[in-house]
Amino acid sequence: MHVDRSLNPINAHPESMLMTVRVESQAAAARIRRLAASGLALALTLAGLLALNGCTTAPPPTTQFSGPIDKVVVRKSQRQLELLSGGRVVRQYRVALGGAPVGHKYREGDQRTPEGSYKLNWRNPNSNFYKAIHISYPSSKDRAASRQLGYSNPGGMIMIHGLPNYIQSESMRRQYANRDWTQGCIAVQNHEMDEIWSLVKDGTPIQIMP
């Protein structure tokens, strides 16, 4: 029996079939190149975002340090308390101040935090707040400035402390985290107060800046 090979698709127009294979291969290669380019663009974008974040975010304070805390700095306008050791900032905390924090303290009840150089001269583990370290305000200079302005009482008992002892719920703690609420003291969260309590010794100088 005679078989007409012209009807066999394998043998029909081999040049056309070869051309089809080449076209399909080229299309597949083009798709691979597009995918590779997309992946490279995504990788470059992510790298750029990470680099940008690295440029705009300050490095964290040193977590390990040797030597004692030799100075405490409070920056009122930034709501920031810093612990320094050997001139380096080794810890930073966000703080809450009083209801009228701008300016130096001159009288009792003005809800201001004093500004200047003082000492952390004693502490109270049984305060109405979670631990408290006393700031040596008022100085003789503060008393004289208060009298000159006509005030009989410059105020006092300015402390670094944690939250009020009556606060027990986590939701209430969060409400105190991002607002000013003291009468002029400097407040931090309780776990931060634990760290400050253990690192800062009595007699450590503190500088309170505007």
Side-chain angles (χ1 to χ4, degrees):
M1 181 179 65
H2 175 72
V3 177
D4 188 353
R5 296 184 179 273
S6 64
L7 299 178
N8 188 335
I10 297 178
N11 297 316
H13 305 291
E15 296 85 1
S16 299
M17 294 185 65
L18 181 59
M19 181 65 69
T20 301
V21 170
R22 288 176 178 171
V23 170
E24 291 177 351
S25 298
Q26 291 172 353
R31 286 196 296 271
I32 292 172
R33 287 194 296 271
R34 286 197 297 271
L35 289 172
S38 299
L40 178 60
L42 178 60
L44 291 173
T45 301
L46 291 174
L49 289 174
L50 290 173
L52 179 61
N53 184 61
C55 291
T56 57
T57 303
T62 305
T63 56
Q64 296 182 354
F65 60 96
S66 59
I69 297 300
D70 47 40
K71 188 175 184 180
V72 177
V73 175
V74 175
R75 304 179 190 277
K76 290 170 55 176
S77 62
Q78 299 178 29
R79 301 299 191 272
Q80 184 170 288
L81 184 150
E82 301 171 348
L83 305 186
L84 280 71
S85 178
R88 293 186 305 145
V89 176
V90 296
R91 294 290 188 275
Q92 291 179 344
Y93 311 92
R94 189 191 187 284
V95 301
L97 302 177
V102 178
H104 182 57
K105 185 174 186 66
Y106 292 105
R107 64 177 177 84
E108 178 74 20
D110 61 8
Q111 296 193 7
R112 291 183 179 180
T113 302
E115 298 170 359
S117 297
Y118 302 96
K119 294 280 188 180
L120 298 171
N121 54 355
W122 55 268
R123 62 188 61 206
N124 181 7
N126 301 310
S127 166
N128 290 329
F129 301 88
Y130 185 78
K131 300 180 179 177
I133 301 177
H134 184 257
I135 299 170
S136 62
Y137 172 89
S139 65
S140 57
K141 181 179 177 181
D142 293 322
R143 294 181 187 277
S146 179
R147 286 194 300 268
Q148 188 174 4
L149 292 173
Y151 302 122
S152 60
N153 185 355
M157 292 299 290
I158 303 299
M159 318 282 280
I160 300 174
H161 59 64
L163 298 177
N165 290 334
Y166 62 79
I167 295 178
Q168 299 296 324
S169 70
E170 187 60 33
S171 61
M172 283 291 291
R173 290 190 184 96
R174 287 195 295 269
Q175 291 181 29
Y176 276 74
N178 297 305
R179 64 183 181 91
D180 292 325
W181 56 269
T182 77
Q183 296 297 311
C185 290
I186 300 166
V188 295
Q189 295 295 300
N190 289 355
H191 68 281
E192 297 170 332
M193 191 62 208
D194 280 333
E195 187 170 54
I196 294 170
W197 186 273
S198 66
L199 292 176
V200 178
K201 306 304 180 185
D202 290 351
T204 300
I206 178 170
Q207 183 178 6
I208 306 174
M209 303 172 65

